[in-house]
Amino acid sequence: MLLSYYQEQWIEAGCDEAGRGCLAGPVFAAAVIFPTDYYHDLLNDSKQLSEKKRMILRPIIEREALAFAVASVSAEEIDRINIHNASYLAMHKALDLLKTKAEYIIVDGNKFIPYQQIPHTCIVKGDGKYLSIAAASILAKTYRDEYMDNIAADYPHYDWLNNKGYPTVKHRSAVLAHGSTPHHRKSFRITDPQLKLF
């Protein structure tokens, strides 16, 4: 069962990103603040949910959160500042957009660039432990998927409707055959053996 909060003293926002490992498209991040007594039994890490369930949960999260925001950082900016910095920048931009200001931040993962003077805690696999991080993962993922779906028709060779920009064999083969698009991250090497096949 996912937990409603990490600490009760301050208004807490959960943060997560989507698209860090992609070859194309922006990285998206979301920040979500729930009431401390919030619970929803369907809510889970976005990777554990089907696309259909994520899309069912998105309007529920947006309706029931005290505040939420989604932001992105472009492929061009990712190339300029690197993907790690871009992921944290996207989270900072989401936190900037919250209508209720966060007083404490919980972040999925083991690293974070501090945001203003607000205390934070990094939680490994936090999207499977805390409702607000799980909700942030769902918002970031669904907004990013939607973005990739919207540009996919202009670049049919790359199969973005299915791979959403991740380095599948089909996506990599298309880049080798047709070259890259303005949406591709030039700093990512498609032949890098460290890239996992999704």
Side-chain angles (χ1 to χ4, degrees):
M1 190 167 115
L2 273 63
L3 300 169
S4 300
Y5 53 85
Y6 178 78
Q7 55 74 48
E8 264 188 301
Q9 192 175 351
W10 298 290
I11 296 169
E12 179 176 286
C15 285
D16 201 2
E17 52 72 33
R20 188 189 286 248
C22 293
L23 296 178
V27 63
F28 274 67
V32 177
I33 297 172
F34 280 133
T36 50
D37 60 351
Y38 185 75
Y39 187 70
H40 195 290
D41 57 359
L42 264 186
L43 202 46
N44 202 344
D45 165 17
S46 67
K47 293 184 288 296
Q48 306 297 322
L49 298 169
S50 66
E51 184 178 358
K52 186 179 176 186
K53 280 195 178 152
R54 288 195 294 266
M55 291 310 293
I56 289 168
L57 281 163
R58 184 165 107 177
I60 294 170
I61 292 163
E62 293 179 348
R63 188 171 62 246
E64 297 182 355
L66 292 176
F68 75 90
V70 181
S72 66
V73 171
S74 69
E76 191 179 20
E77 182 82 341
I78 290 167
D79 287 336
R80 200 172 64 77
I81 64 174
N82 84 42
I83 186 58
H84 301 292
N85 288 329
S87 297
Y88 305 131
L89 176 59
M91 290 185 196
H92 287 194
K93 285 169 77 172
L95 288 161
D96 284 343
L97 293 170
L98 286 173
K99 289 193 174 74
T100 301
K101 191 168 169 57
E103 297 171 345
Y104 199 95
I105 302 160
I106 55 174
V107 187
D108 182 51
N110 61 358
K111 289 194 183 84
F112 184 62
I113 294 173
Y115 174 74
Q116 298 179 3
Q117 303 301 311
I118 299 171
H120 71 267
T121 298
C122 296
I123 300 161
V124 174
K125 297 189 176 167
D127 48 2
K129 294 173 183 171
Y130 290 92
L131 289 166
S132 61
I133 300 179
S137 80
I138 289 165
L139 294 188
K141 171 79 175 146
T142 56
Y143 276 83
R144 189 181 187 283
D145 284 358
E146 214 164 61
Y147 179 94
M148 294 307 294
D149 288 350
N150 286 336
I151 62 171
D154 296 331
Y155 303 94
H157 299 303
Y158 302 92
D159 196 33
W160 289 341
L161 275 178
N162 293 306
N163 64 49
K164 311 303 184 196
Y166 281 93
T168 58
V169 173
K170 192 168 180 181
H171 187 184
R172 291 195 207 187
S173 302
V175 177
L176 292 170
H178 303 284
S180 62
T181 70
H183 299 286
H184 277 96
R185 303 170 184 179
K186 311 295 187 285
S187 53
F188 281 45
R189 293 198 311 278
I190 61 153
T191 52
D192 190 333
Q194 292 179 314
L195 281 175
K196 294 190 197 122
L197 289 177
F198 285 82

